[in-house]
Amino acid sequence: MMKCKFCFIIKGILFLFLNQCSPTDRLPPFIKDGVLDLSNWDLDSEGPVPLVGEWEFFFGVLLEPESLQNNTILLKKTLILAPANWNNFGYDVNNVATYRVLIRPLEYPKLYAIKLPHFASAYKLYINGKFVSENGVVNQKKEIYKPQHLPTVKYVFVDKPEMEILIQVANFSDNISGIVEKIYIGTENFIIKKYAFSIGTEIFYFGIILIMGIYHLFLFFFRRTELAPLFFGLFSLIMALRIAITGEKFFLQIFPDFPWEVHIKAEYLSVFLGLPFFALFLFYTFQQRENYPKTRIIEQLFSQNFIPFSSK
């Protein structure tokens, strides 16, 4: 009976993941020389397309849509691969820049959806010359600039066969910069499913790991001599926190004004704090009680008894 239940769970998990695969096995088109050609791709039947490839790039300036009518400005453009950190291409990490891409041909008139990830570290988005979305405050002055990470989905009504996407990005607070995650464009149906699945999956994992953490802390509360549940409980709580503030960042969806510095520090610390807690959990799980070193917990990490197969 247990075997049947286990098989049913495995089949259910496989169904959920396979059901999210792209409806087609073909690779989506790439951006070439600042243009995404969709002539051989059907967004309705083949799914969303990631905006990956050679974006037009204007470093050190925040261009408005109307300024691109000036041919002198267009001559100053360069191409940059995105998503990627612009500092990987030799540009100063603490600066501003403007990205631009043209998407054609598109069916029109029609409503499209764009899935926007977090940028490093503030952005303002224009589509066909109209303001659509922003995170934080984009400005060339560090005193006015304000970072924010908040993935979202926006809807755009297109009344012509071409879409111009213009993104202003500013970064004066992080060690990465620019478009660092994939942007997706597609029909409303596909994008909403993709976004809802990502959010739902993260909340599901968050709930399970949070319950595991609380359960193991209760085990330690009733059996203080067993330290393994304590460290596994703390590790689980840290991992639950990391799930809430990374990926789709559903915690920030609930609290969009949460301080950026606290969020970033928690994101990095969740890795460095999680590892020692998990190591201590393994130590107290697999070591014999009589072999516990008579030292402080931090010192135990560097003791010979911590490594089961260390030479005597």
Side-chain angles (χ1 to χ4, degrees), residues 111-138:
L111 184 67
Y112 291 90
I114 295 181
K115 184 179 184 298
L116 297 161
H118 74 273
F119 291 66
S121 295
Y123 78 88
K124 184 179 287 187
L125 171 69
Y126 296 89
I127 295 181
N128 288 341
K130 298 179 181 178
F131 170 76
V132 174
S133 176
E134 69 178 336
N135 268 194
V137 177
V138 176

Side-chain angles (χ1 to χ4, degrees), residues 116-120 123 135 148-151 176 178 180-181 247 249:
L116 297 161
H118 74 273
F119 291 66
Y123 78 88
N135 268 194
Q148 186 183 30
H149 287 181
L150 190 62
I176 58 175
V180 293
E181 300 285 342
K249 302 178 184 283

